[in-house]
Amino acid sequence: EEVGKAFTQHYYQTYDADRSQLQGLYLAESMMSFEGEQFQGAQAIGTKLASLPFQSVKHEIVTADYQPSAGGGLIVFVCGNLRVDGNEAPMKFSQVFCLMPLP
């Protein structure tokens, strides 16, 4: 759970400050699904995140759940509010991560 909490805090702080820096958290084997599209690899995922059509974003985490998975991994499920470009009306978001130990 500590690893999940630390990852969640780091990921969203980085996302909100400079999402182009998130690419370093992904590997060549990493995969992301986003609104029906599939992306694989750090560069493809980083390019997609950097291309999202907003200037500023603020994530407000409402819940974060952590579940151990096979192979020493960790499933992280995050739900919260998303404020984009200073808009006061938040959008809801949810995101799931499958964290795996490095070989």
Side-chain angles (χ1 to χ4, degrees), residues 4 6 14 17 33 37 44 55 58 60 71-72 84 91-92 98-99:
T14 302
S33 295
E37 291 184 87
Q55 298 302 311
K58 172 71 175 131
E60 299 168 355
V84 175
M91 295 182 282
K92 302 293 183 188
C98 181
L99 307 179

Side-chain angles (χ1 to χ4, degrees), residues 3-22:
V3 170
K5 286 180 181 179
F7 170 80
T8 301
Q9 181 178 15
H10 176 70
Y11 185 89
Y12 290 108
Q13 283 179 348
T14 302
Y15 197 120
D16 293 352
D18 181 4
R19 64 184 181 269
S20 70
Q21 298 300 309
L22 291 174

Side-chain angles (χ1 to χ4, degrees), residues 46-58:
T47 298
K48 176 59 180 178
L49 294 173
S51 74
L52 295 174
F54 49 80
Q55 298 302 311
S56 66
V57 62
K58 172 71 175 131

Side-chain angles (χ1 to χ4, degrees), residues 33-95:
S33 295
F34 185 88
E35 296 181 343
E37 291 184 87
Q38 305 283 319
F39 304 90
Q40 182 169 357
Q43 185 171 355
I45 293 169
T47 298
K48 176 59 180 178
L49 294 173
S51 74
L52 295 174
F54 49 80
Q55 298 302 311
S56 66
V57 62
K58 172 71 175 131
H59 291 85
E60 299 168 355
I61 307 304
V62 175
T63 62
D65 295 303
Y66 314 99
Q67 178 69 41
S69 67
L74 184 68
I75 303 295
V76 178
F77 180 56
V78 181
C79 294
N81 299 313
L82 185 64
R83 297 183 190 273
V84 175
D85 291 332
N87 191 336
E88 289 302 313
M91 295 182 282
K92 302 293 183 188
F93 83 93
S94 63
Q95 191 165 11

